[in-house]
Every structure is written in structure tokens, then in C-alpha cells.
Amino acid sequence: GTSGWPGVGSGRRVVVVLGMPRSGTSLLTRVLGRLGVQLGERLAAPDANNPAGYWEQEEICQTQEELLQRLGRQWVHPASAMSLGSEWWLRPEVRPYQERLASIVCSELSRHKGLWGFKDPRTSRLLSLWNAIFTRLQLEPIYLLALREPASAVESMMKLYGIPVPHTELLWLLHTLDAVRDAGDRLRLVVDYDLWFTRPVDQAQAILRTLGLKWNGSRDELQAAIRECVRPDLRHVHASRAASLPFITEAYKLLKRAAGTGTVPRELQSLDENVRQALSLCEPWAAVIEELTRPGSQGQFAFVDHFAEARLEAFASTG
């Protein structure tokens, strides 16, 4: 447990990268490492899906995956796009996972004296739990959101996990809006994937300012360092279709504006409320979905997709 570390942080800052999978979270984290954020040694190995590396703290990812599994919300589960329910992080079955995550953070911080950070796309959905952990350990999180054009992220996820498009779009919406809502004013920067290829130095300087880090070299050296991280050859997916689910285009447009201006537009809040209200119409069906999607059912996503899509479209046309 973490009882041995009361107030381990006494105000120490921790950098947390948020964002939907396949949205440039790995690239952002790699850049953070280059700019002086410590990421620890136990990082997940690169593989065919991410040849440049994931830059993820392995134990954190594993613990969060197990927690999502326990809650029936891992990405490939048909109920993954359902809400976790109110105050889910206070449930007794979540407690052991909270202890484990707090313990990993404490151990990393004792090992690294500078600014430490981590990334795992699952964090976006589990942010309420992390807020509780950071409060308990007296740490100050600095949240950075990686943003990528949703249709590209969706297509990439679909190819990787075989999750149908409407379902993946809903996941994009939830990962993004959950992150923005639960990070609140501790969301310090929205980092636009496209800007790495057009204005890499400006974006790197925005990150340095946000984190209060100094770059000791010249602007040209900074450009060279970022170029080592940004590999245009790995920018695989250019979406063949636009996102179709209501709310997505609007959410992306508002967040893209935030990446340019540095402030999150207020309109995102009412958009989030609309999405949550629309999804709450699906909530009574959560138990039905659990029942209809037991392992072995081949058409397990179809029901959820059609239902959620129809509900969200109906709500968007009246909302």
C-alpha cells in the first residue's frame, strides 16, 4: 500500500499525456523525453504497430488494462463505449488498482529527481481515479492532450483492433471529452499531431514553456532534436472517410482551436454535456449489452453500434 508515503510529493509535478490511442500520444511522449522529462526505464518495447516505440511505463499500462477488464471496459469489449458510472473510482473492487498505481508512482518518483511523466491512452478514461491518487500523494499533475484528426485515429484503431467504425468514433469522443472534463484547468496544453509536421519548433517551445523547462541549445538544435523524434515515414493513415458520428467534428474543431490559442473553448463544456445526456439514454441498456455480448457472440458489436449511433443521431437532431 501507499500508507508509507503520506504526501510523497509535497507539490511535486507529474506530466501526464492524455489522448485517444493512435492520436500521436507516443510521438508526444518521445518528444517530452527529448526535452528533459524523465520517463523511467521500464518502457514497453516497440513492435510492428509502433516501430518508433510506445514510450509507456509498462506496469501502469498493465494495471490500467487489468482495471478496465475488471470493469468490462477494455477497448475490444463491446461495452467499452459505455460510461463507467458515477463515482466508479470509489468502488471497493477498484481499491487494489488504486494502491498499485499509487505505489508505482511513488517508486518512480523516488528514482527520478527531476520532472517525471508517463503516458497510457487508457488514462483518459480513468482520470477521476488519477485525480484521487494525485490528491492523496500531494502531487500536481500537468495534463497534456494529444490531438489527431479523428477519422485517421479511428481508421488506425479499426485496422489494429477490428472494432467497427461507429464504435471507435464513440471511443474517440469519450477519450477526448473525458480527458478535457476531468483534467479541468490542469489541462495545460493541447498538442496537435499535424503541427509536428508543419511547425515542430513552435510546438516544442510551447511544451517547454508549459512545463517550465529550459532548452540549452539553439533553435536549430531544437529543430534537429525534434526531427529525430518526428518520422514522417510512420505517418501511415490518411483517413479515406470523414468521421460520421455527430459531435465529433465539432469537438475536434474546438480542440484544434485550443492547440493554436492555448485555451480550451467554453463550448466544449456544453458539447460534453450534450454527449453525456445522449449517452445516458443508453445507460439502461448497459446490462442488456453485457448479456448480449458475452464472449463467443460473433455479432457482438452490431447491437451496441446501431443503438448508440441511432441515439446520438436522434439527440443531435433535437439537441
Side-chain angles (χ1 to χ4, degrees):
T2 54
S3 51
W5 293 286
V8 64
S10 54
R12 263 187 84 174
R13 299 176 311 146
V14 171
V15 184
V16 184
V17 172
L18 304 172
M20 169 80 175
R22 319 304 287 173
S23 290
T25 55
S26 301
L27 172 52
L28 168 55
T29 311
R30 186 179 184 193
V31 170
L32 288 175
R34 201 68 190 74
L35 296 178
V37 176
Q38 295 171 333
L39 304 170
E41 291 77 45
R42 301 176 205 177
L43 300 180
D47 62 20
N49 294 322
N50 221 340
Y54 288 91
W55 307 92
E56 291 177 349
Q57 210 284 0
E58 229 164 358
E59 289 170 294
I60 290 178
C61 293
Q62 201 180 334
T63 306
Q64 299 209 100
E65 178 63 14
E66 286 171 26
L67 172 55
L68 285 171
Q69 210 159 351
R70 179 82 173 80
L71 298 168
R73 294 292 183 276
Q74 66 272 40
W75 292 321
V76 294
H77 193 286
S80 58
M82 303 299 281
S83 145
L84 286 163
S86 62
E87 303 203 319
W88 61 269
W89 64 96
L90 300 176
R91 288 188 218 153
E93 68 267 28
V94 175
R95 185 80 189 174
Y97 299 96
Q98 180 176 351
E99 295 294 335
R100 251 162 77 186
L101 291 169
S103 175
I104 295 165
V105 169
C106 291
S107 132
E108 289 286 349
L109 287 176
S110 65
R111 231 182 263 131
H112 304 289
K113 296 303 166 215
L115 186 59
W116 172 78
F118 72 91
K119 159 254 168 174
D120 175 12
R122 299 166 186 84
T123 309
S124 297
R125 294 293 311 274
L126 300 172
L127 213 49
S128 300
L129 175 63
W130 279 104
N131 284 334
I133 290 170
F134 291 137
T135 300
R136 181 176 162 196
L137 298 178
Q138 293 178 22
L139 295 169
E140 183 199 331
I142 301 172
Y143 293 122
L144 307 178
L145 177 68
L147 178 73
R148 184 184 182 190
E149 199 272 312
S152 301
V154 162
E155 203 152 304
S156 190
M157 273 287 273
M158 193 186 73
K159 284 181 175 164
L160 195 57
Y161 296 109
I163 306 172
V165 169
H167 198 89
T168 316
E169 288 186 351
L170 200 47
L171 277 176
W172 184 92
L173 203 54
L174 287 172
H175 273 82
T176 308
L177 293 178
D178 283 2
V180 171
R181 182 187 61 249
D182 294 336
D185 58 6
R186 294 188 286 193
L187 175 59
R188 299 292 161 80
L189 197 64
V190 176
V191 179
D192 184 350
Y193 182 76
D194 292 333
L195 289 181
W196 289 125
F197 302 92
T198 56
R199 291 168 46 203
V201 176
D202 292 347
Q203 186 145 266
Q205 286 174 329
I207 291 170
L208 287 165
R209 278 195 303 276
T210 301
L211 301 181
L213 292 173
K214 291 267 186 291
W215 176 259
N216 294 321
S218 65
R219 188 182 165 93
D220 286 350
E221 285 168 323
L222 179 58
Q223 181 150 9
I226 301 306
R227 198 170 280 150
E228 277 173 34
C229 301
V230 178
R231 290 176 51 184
D233 59 306
L234 295 180
R235 195 182 184 183
H236 295 310
V237 176
H238 293 280
S240 52
R241 52 187 289 291
S244 58
L245 208 60
F247 304 126
I248 284 197
T249 314
E250 197 186 338
Y252 177 60
K253 202 166 62 190
L254 290 169
L255 282 164
K256 207 161 170 65
R257 198 204 306 170
T261 60
T263 50
V264 176
R266 284 191 179 281
E267 297 100 302
L268 260 172
Q269 206 174 334
S270 53
L271 182 83
D272 177 46
E273 279 160 19
N274 284 345
V275 170
R276 286 214 280 173
Q277 201 176 334
L279 284 171
S280 71
L281 300 174
C282 302
E283 279 312 300
W285 289 86
V288 180
I289 289 167
E290 298 283 354
E291 196 53 47
L292 285 172
T293 56
R294 298 223 175 277
S297 156
Q298 279 313 297
Q300 52 182 2
F301 277 102
F303 173 82
V304 194
D305 292 332
H306 297 321
F307 185 78
E309 199 176 21
R311 281 297 193 190
L312 276 169
E313 275 170 10
F315 187 82
S317 60
T318 58

